[in-house]
Amino acid sequence: MAKTIFLVDDSVTMLMSVKATLEMNGFKVETAGDGVQALNKLKGGVKPDLIITDINMPNMGGLELIKNVRALTGFRFTPILTLTTESQAAKRDEGKKLGATGWLVKPVAGPDLVKVIKQVLPGA
């Protein structure tokens, strides 16, 4: 059974490129353009095995999304990776406090992303 990865990014180019990489590696991919859309999809029944989110997005950014996802029943232990241009330690620490599983700084090569996913997602 293919693992489902939920990709949240306001850049259509990023969504398309990362989605293609993940699908080529056998993952099922759901996408959202910002945190509000993502939260609505999660509340609407999308059940990903892993969430990958950008940090800087309109409407609701990644940090706020992580905080909201962790508050949802059934998502407390879902791994959440950030994929962002943000590299400051303070942002990273804030992400960890809110419940991010890992922090990746763009750009990330496809094979490297898949390697990290396999580390945080048992059976991937």
Side-chain angles (χ1 to χ4, degrees):
M1 180 79 181
K3 298 278 186 186
T4 301
I5 296 178
F6 192 16
L7 206 47
V8 187
D9 200 311
D10 58 323
S11 160
V12 174
T13 310
M14 268 308 284
L15 284 177
M16 284 182 354
S17 131
V18 176
K19 181 178 182 183
T21 298
L22 295 175
E23 286 177 341
M24 284 189 312
N25 283 278
F27 295 103
K28 185 173 178 289
V29 181
E30 289 281 343
T31 61
D34 64 36
V36 172
Q37 242 185 40
L39 214 49
N40 287 336
K41 283 189 170 190
L42 291 171
K43 287 177 180 173
V46 171
K47 279 281 191 202
D49 296 293
L50 169 73
I51 298 169
I52 299 177
T53 182
D54 187 15
I55 292 299
N56 300 311
M57 298 180 287
N59 305 317
M60 181 192 293
L63 293 174
E64 196 179 336
L65 173 62
I66 292 167
K67 188 171 118 185
N68 281 292
V69 168
R70 289 298 182 223
L72 291 176
T73 310
F75 292 98
R76 217 168 68 217
F77 303 109
T78 303
I80 301 175
L81 295 175
T82 64
L83 183 57
T84 178
T85 54
E86 293 287 347
S87 58
Q88 301 119 331
K91 282 268 192 213
R92 246 178 234 239
D93 292 345
E94 189 180 349
K96 270 213 164 61
K97 272 192 204 106
L98 292 172
T101 312
W103 193 278
L104 302 168
V105 178
K106 292 176 186 173
V108 174
D112 295 336
L113 179 60
V114 171
K115 191 172 139 194
V116 171
I117 289 169
K118 289 184 177 189
Q119 286 171 347
V120 298
L121 194 55

